[in-house]
Amino acid sequence: MIQLELDEIKKQKNLVVLWGITFMVLFPVLIIFGLLMRLSQGDITSPSPGDFYAYMTFHGLGMAGTLYSFAFAGLWYMNATKLVKLNIKVGYFIYGAILVGVVGLLFGVIIEKYAPGWYMLYPMPFKGTSWTTGATTISVISLIILGVAWLVGILHILFALSKEYAGFTNLLGWQYLKKQEVTKELHPLALITMISLLPGLFAIITGAALLIMYLIQSLEPSMSYDALLMKNMVMFFGHTLVNITLYCCLGWVYTLLPEFTHREWKVNKVLVYSWNATFIAIVFAFFHHLYMDFSQNLAFHYVGQFASYLSPIPATGITMFGVVAQIYHSKMKWTIVPVSFLIGTAGWATGGLAAVIDSTIAVNRVLHNTLWVPAHFHSYMLMGVVLFILGFLFYIFYGEDKNKSDKIAQFGFWTFIVGAYGFVLMFYLGGFNSVPRRYSSYVGIDVANVHSTGALLAVIASVFIVVLLIGLLAMYISLFKNLKENRATV
């Protein structure tokens, strides 16, 4: 643990508060784009297919980027105030570059109608498009800027930690597996940071290579690439980025929950084995996105099945057990921060189980192109990652009053929970009823029951989104009120 001057801590806190405010602005905007999509599927509105898929592209890319960026920002803050000194100027560079990337993407998608979806499957951005080559170019450049910012941030944190703990192997906790006595205790935050960001480094380098190839083809249309290779690259990048977003958040849980329970959460052999197994699973689990490719090497499917089954067990099991052990008979106050972490862990486990079900090859053949897929990733993103983020925001914005019980915040929190679970439930019911995903409207579906069921579930989901937004607004009122009060007393 490092000792920082109060001025340095204040600088790092100002940066993470800026990140928090930016997240609080972008998040409901992106939710509204999701609401527009569900209203279209519920036959309430009738946007053009081009508009719908532009909404879907911005919602998907925007949510993935926004959630990862804030998860990374929180991880930066925790490391910068607990473990290592991080350059605040680099932190602001990352923030500024990401802001530029978001603005460019917003222009490319909303103004220029770039609409291939978050996955941008090749050659979709170039063949038979309803948008201009310029829209592709500016969107790809914006994504490259985001990737550069994330890459700089990851390298800065990893090199700082490797210097503090004398190497990457020590960050992985391998010294705990030797017979010699450990001379320097590894903080769980350092271990989880390493396990999260190293696969992220591989993913972002892969994504950068993919985007540079896209940029070259947008500037030189005669270029072409192998479509299967491009798909494998985008799936590795996207799947890994979404997974490490959640693991970055777990770094806060392992670090902050003990402040409420007053119990240490130490690294030991079990923790090291579990998180190192998770590292391997993170790298290979994306293969379950390749099941539908008949020309794919058959070995990939076996690896995907095995890695997908392995991925949720070590980290999820050890974390859930650890959370329960931390809370059991701890006599802590059940305020929003620890409750957010507890329910977020449950949401992660629920979504993870649904993902494992879908990653089973025999089941995937039936569920892959249904609403079951957005059901499982909305479960662990909305009810896992977002709850972790909200808990972190309450921790930061409340300051010394972190155990404060605020009725407005509690109303908003439980309203948000009801709205979010109701919204996600409609996706699961849609999956059970074979309602397809990525459709702008269900009108053209020949099976009348699928059309009517899909439209009805979309309308109900829209109502729950409104409930969710009401809860979010109430929490925002509490957060800004307490931030203002804390600023006034500094």
Side-chain angles (χ1 to χ4, degrees):
M1 303 291 278
I2 58 172
Q3 296 295 325
L4 292 177
E5 298 290 334
L6 289 176
D7 185 57
E8 178 64 22
I9 294 175
K10 185 177 178 180
K11 287 179 181 178
Q12 293 290 352
K13 186 169 184 178
N14 287 339
L15 175 58
V16 82
V17 166
L18 180 61
W19 271 110
I21 293 171
T22 306
F23 168 82
M24 291 168 71
V25 171
L26 285 174
F27 183 55
V29 171
L30 292 165
I31 289 175
I32 289 170
F33 278 97
L35 174 61
L36 292 174
M37 291 163 59
R38 294 304 267 159
L39 289 173
S40 173
Q41 293 170 333
D43 298 336
I44 303 299
T45 61
S46 302
S48 68
D51 285 341
F52 176 90
Y53 290 109
Y55 300 159
M56 188 175 74
T57 302
F58 188 65
H59 176 78
L61 285 174
M63 277 296 187
T66 297
L67 294 177
Y68 172 72
S69 294
F70 188 80
F72 174 82
L75 201 63
W76 171 287
Y77 174 78
M78 297 306 300
N79 277 280
T81 56
K82 303 286 185 183
L83 302 181
V84 290
K85 290 185 178 181
L86 298 178
N87 192 318
I88 193 69
K89 292 181 180 178
V90 175
Y92 277 104
F93 166 77
I94 295 167
Y95 174 82
I98 287 176
L99 206 59
V100 170
V102 169
V103 171
L105 189 62
L106 183 63
F107 178 81
V109 174
I110 303 304
I111 306 301
E112 295 294 320
K113 306 298 184 185
Y114 181 67
W118 74 265
Y119 32 83
M120 303 194 305
L121 289 183
Y122 187 83
M124 194 181 294
F126 306 102
K127 303 292 184 181
T129 65
S130 60
W131 57 88
T132 64
T133 302
T136 300
T137 302
I138 193 168
S139 298
V140 168
I141 290 173
S142 299
L143 291 169
I144 290 174
I145 292 171
L146 289 171
V148 169
W150 294 335
L151 189 61
V152 169
I154 288 174
L155 290 173
H156 187 61
I157 292 179
L158 288 184
F159 278 115
L161 284 173
S162 66
K163 186 176 180 181
E164 177 69 20
Y165 286 96
F168 281 1
T169 57
N170 286 336
L171 281 175
L172 290 169
W174 292 0
Q175 66 273 29
Y176 286 85
L177 309 180
K178 300 176 182 177
K179 293 182 179 179
Q180 301 97 316
E181 185 179 350
V182 175
T183 56
K184 183 179 177 64
E185 289 290 334
L186 180 65
H187 196 283
L189 175 62
L191 173 65
I192 295 173
T193 298
M194 180 65 174
I195 296 297
S196 301
L197 295 188
L198 190 56
L201 182 64
F202 302 153
I204 289 170
I205 291 173
T206 302
L210 174 84
L211 291 168
I212 289 170
M213 288 192 283
Y214 274 11
L215 181 60
I216 291 171
Q217 184 161 345
S218 69
L219 298 174
E220 178 49 67
S222 63
M223 292 291 294
S224 63
Y225 309 105
D226 181 88
L228 188 60
L229 171 64
M230 300 294 272
K231 178 190 174 180
N232 291 356
M233 291 175 71
V234 75
M235 289 302 172
F236 174 64
F237 166 67
H239 181 272
T240 305
L241 191 73
V242 168
N243 272 258
I244 67 169
T245 297
L246 193 144
Y247 295 132
C248 286
C249 295
L250 290 177
W252 321 336
V253 177
Y254 276 71
T255 308
L256 298 181
L257 192 57
E259 292 190 21
F260 294 86
T261 62
H262 305 292
R263 291 172 174 171
E264 287 188 281
W265 201 336
K266 288 188 174 183
V267 171
N268 53 38
K269 283 186 178 181
V270 175
L271 205 68
V272 170
Y273 278 124
S274 298
W275 279 98
N276 275 260
T278 297
F279 170 80
I280 296 171
I282 291 172
V283 175
F284 293 103
F286 85 98
F287 283 174
H288 65 234
H289 289 280
L290 315 181
Y291 291 157
M292 293 294 174
D293 302 320
F294 60 88
S295 60
Q296 199 80 248
N297 190 305
L298 187 61
F300 282 13
H301 301 324
Y302 289 111
V303 173
Q305 180 79 92
F306 176 77
S308 298
Y309 275 26
L310 175 66
S311 62
I313 297 171
T316 310
I318 199 68
T319 301
M320 291 177 69
F321 179 83
V323 168
V324 172
Q326 280 282 316
I327 291 171
Y328 185 69
H329 282 191
S330 67
K331 297 181 181 180
M332 72 175 186
K333 291 186 68 175
W334 288 93
T335 52
I336 283 184
V337 178
V339 172
S340 294
F341 291 164
L342 178 62
I343 299 180
T345 303
W348 166 35
T350 302
L353 176 61
V356 170
I357 291 171
D358 181 50
S359 68
T360 303
I361 293 174
V363 178
N364 186 267
R365 293 177 61 187
V366 178
L367 293 179
H368 181 75
N369 284 316
T370 72
L371 290 180
W372 182 273
V373 176
H376 80 66
F377 67 68
H378 278 87
S379 293
Y380 58 70
M381 294 301 278
L382 182 61
M383 300 311 301
V385 170
V386 172
L387 286 183
F388 291 145
I389 289 175
L390 289 172
F392 183 82
L393 288 175
F394 277 102
Y395 176 84
I396 294 295
F397 282 36
Y398 273 39
E400 297 299 321
D401 297 326
K402 64 185 181 184
N403 280 312
K404 182 178 178 181
S405 183
D406 186 319
K407 289 184 178 180
I408 296 176
Q410 289 181 359
F411 165 78
F413 179 79
W414 292 111
T415 302
F416 179 88
I417 294 293
V418 171
Y421 267 113
F423 163 71
V424 170
L425 178 60
M426 296 307 108
F427 275 142
Y428 281 114
L429 293 176
F432 278 129
N433 285 277
S434 300
V435 179
R437 60 181 173 137
R438 299 177 183 155
Y439 274 45
S440 60
S441 172
Y442 305 128
V443 173
I445 297 176
D446 292 336
V447 183
N449 182 57
V450 174
H451 167 212
S452 59
T453 301
L456 176 62
L457 293 174
V459 172
I460 297 173
S462 301
V463 174
F464 278 115
I465 292 174
V466 174
V467 173
L468 179 157
L469 286 169
I470 292 170
L472 198 63
L473 177 61
M475 284 190 284
Y476 280 12
I477 292 171
S478 175
L479 284 166
F480 280 119
K481 176 176 174 286
N482 280 275
L483 178 64
K484 184 179 179 181
E485 289 175 357
N486 287 322
R487 292 285 173 172
T489 58
V490 174

